[in-house]
Amino acid sequence: SLSPKMIHIQAAIAAAVQTCIREIKKSTSLINWSLNDGSGNGNGDKDGAGSGGRDGLTLENCVTTAFDLMISRQLAQDWHRLKPTTKQLVNDLRQLRTLFHY
């Protein structure tokens, strides 16, 4: 079981993950937000991370799956065209996912 301070830290990391995903969604339309197969038309969840919905995008999926790798793979061929801010957000998401597991 987690201590109250650990729960508070996890909540802060979860909020940062949600914000990071929301900002990535704003910055690029190259990502399919469905967690099913990593391919498609990119018309996934429009409400923000953690809202659930028909495509399976939940905060739990974002931190328990290799969600950051799925995003990186989808952006790989266009990585050179992305804004530095978007690249940083993808890297931040990877770091936050790592921190969440401590």
Side-chain angles (χ1 to χ4, degrees):
S1 94
L2 298 174
S3 71
K5 288 182 181 182
M6 292 287 286
I7 292 170
H8 184 54
I9 290 169
Q10 275 196 340
I13 293 171
V17 167
Q18 289 177 324
T19 301
C20 207
I21 291 171
R22 187 173 30 250
E23 292 300 315
I24 291 171
K25 285 182 178 186
K26 287 181 187 177
S27 68
T28 184
S29 61
L30 299 171
I31 299 172
N32 172 23
W33 291 100
S34 171
L35 294 177
N36 296 333
D37 62 2
S39 64
N41 62 10
N43 292 331
D45 181 21
K46 301 281 190 225
D47 299 329
S51 65
R54 66 188 174 279
D55 60 10
L57 180 62
T58 64
L59 180 61
E60 182 180 345
N61 289 340
C62 295
V63 296
T64 59
T65 63
F67 185 73
D68 53 319
L69 296 175
M70 180 196 73
I71 291 173
S72 294
R73 271 185 253 133
Q74 289 186 44
L75 295 175
Q77 70 185 37
D78 294 309
W79 191 257
H80 64 285
R81 294 180 7 191
L82 295 175
K83 296 176 186 173
T85 313
T86 305
K87 293 178 184 181
Q88 184 63 53
L89 286 166
V90 172
N91 289 328
D92 290 347
L93 188 60
R94 182 176 298 122
Q95 291 299 319
L96 288 168
R97 184 174 161 266
T98 302
L99 287 173
F100 201 82
H101 289 286
Y102 283 117

